Structures are given as structure tokens and as C-alpha cells.
Amino acid sequence: MNYLAHFHLAWPEESLVVGGLEGDFHKGPLPGKLAPSLHDGVALHRAIDAYTDSHPCVAEARRRFPAELRRYAGILIDLCFDHFLTQHWSSFSKLSRLEFNAEVYAMLGRHSDLLSQPARHMAERLQEFDVLMRYEHFDTIIGSAERIGQRFKHSNPMHRSGELLPALLPELEQTFLVFYPELIGFSRRSAMLADPE
């Protein structure tokens, strides 16, 4: 899962939402040097990632990717799932996306002092560019994939995402619609949360 889904799956518990961002940056054992209030959010983030990576329908989706992208299929699926979440938002939330995103940005701002420097920088970028709202546009997914690929040491296989991903979208969307409700249930049970608004 990518940022939007992690925030949605942690909603409405503020510490879980903020910890959901830190989960992308905090490495090593828990609790470690992590602020105590972020511990459960990072733990939930890791549990969500592990559940997603091991789920049979996600594994099947990875196998559909062309060979040159298969190694990075997990990253691309995460990005696409955030896109599909925006497309089907009203099925999963009573809040509008504008309301939800504004609340998330406010939560991250209130707790920025608890975040690591890389997570704080990402929180600022998310809000500055309103990234959560932009996930509705497929071009944002392609741009994100290409920027991730630029971090690779040798080559950037993600530069072909815009060419190769569109053919996979219909099946990936169906996978999302089957899988995401299961993931919501897993997240609610793991964090002992009520159903998301």
C-alpha cells in the first residue's frame, strides 16, 4: 500500500495515521528510538505491508507484469491501488476526499516534531503538492513510479511504466476491489479500530 491507503487504513486514530507515514522511513526493530506514540502506527504499517505482500491475489497480480517490471511489481501495485482507492473512494469512506486529506495533513502538521527528518520532509511535500488528491490522475502514478526508479543505482526500469501499465489496469482494478475490503478487515482487527468513516 502507498500513502493514501495507509492513512485510510489507520483512520481515524491520529497516532496510527502519523505512524503510518513514519512506517515508510523507520527501519529496524520496534520500539527502538521511535517516539512511543508512533509505535503502533509503524507496527500497523508493517503488518499491512506483510499482509499485502503475502496475499494470494496480490501475488497473482505480480505474475501478470511483464518480465522487465516484475521485480518492481509490488511498488507499482501499491501506487495503482492508491489510484483505485480514489476512484472508488465513496465505497470506502463517508468523508469526502477533500475532508479526509485536509484532516490527514493537519494531523501530520500537529505531530511533525515526532517524525524523523525524512518523514517530516515527505509530510511537507504531500501537503505542498496535495499529492493525496493527485492520486486520482493516472499520470501522477506514472510520475511517482519514474521518480522512484531514479533512486535505483544502475538503471531505471520504471521509465516504461507509462507504456506497459495501462494494459494491466483493468485486472489490477478488479484485484483491488476484491482485496481492499479484506485488507480493511485485517487492519481493523490488527489495530482494534472501528470501521473507517
Side-chain angles (χ1 to χ4, degrees):
M1 293 295 112
N2 206 53
Y3 295 116
L4 180 61
H6 272 293
F7 294 143
H8 179 252
L9 293 165
W11 189 264
E13 181 59 46
E14 195 154 335
S15 62
L16 295 181
V17 171
V18 179
L21 176 63
E22 187 64 52
D24 260 345
F25 301 95
H26 182 80
K27 308 303 179 188
L30 293 174
K33 298 179 179 179
L34 192 67
S37 60
L38 299 185
H39 174 276
D40 290 348
V42 173
L44 177 62
H45 181 118
R46 291 181 179 183
I48 288 167
D49 283 353
Y51 182 85
T52 300
D53 290 344
S54 65
H55 198 281
C57 71
V58 177
E60 176 60 30
R62 285 195 296 268
R63 287 192 285 272
R64 296 191 198 113
F65 275 70
E68 63 196 278
L69 286 179
R70 197 165 299 141
R71 180 178 177 185
Y72 311 100
I75 296 169
L76 295 168
I77 289 171
D78 285 350
L79 290 169
C80 287
F81 279 6
D82 263 20
H83 173 65
F84 298 139
L85 180 54
T86 70
Q87 304 303 297
H88 298 278
W89 183 259
S90 61
S91 297
F92 300 111
S93 179
K94 295 174 185 175
L95 294 175
S96 73
R97 287 175 52 226
L98 280 171
E99 292 172 306
F100 179 85
N101 295 347
E103 284 294 322
V104 167
Y105 295 145
M107 289 177 180
L108 296 176
R110 283 194 292 271
H111 300 282
S112 64
D113 58 319
L114 299 178
L115 294 170
S116 63
Q117 191 280 326
R120 190 179 310 121
H121 177 67
M122 179 54 68
E124 292 167 356
R125 285 183 58 81
L126 289 174
Q127 183 163 12
E128 179 183 358
F129 297 103
D130 198 9
V131 174
L132 299 182
M133 187 57 71
R134 289 174 181 262
Y135 281 138
E136 69 180 286
H137 304 295
F138 187 63
D139 286 350
T140 299
I141 303 307
I142 297 304
S144 296
E146 290 178 352
R147 282 190 294 277
I148 290 169
Q150 289 169 4
R151 302 177 203 159
F152 301 154
K153 291 182 179 178
H154 301 295
S155 62
N156 181 3
M158 300 291 206
H159 75 279
R160 295 197 64 200
S161 299
E163 173 189 348
L164 299 173
L165 262 183
L168 298 171
L169 289 182
E171 289 187 50
L172 285 175
E173 185 170 16
Q174 290 307 306
T175 297
F176 169 81
L177 291 171
V178 170
F179 170 68
Y180 196 68
E182 294 184 28
L183 183 58
I184 289 175
F186 170 80
S187 301
R188 303 291 103 186
R189 293 189 300 273
S190 296
M192 295 182 291
L193 291 169
D195 289 335
E197 294 180 350

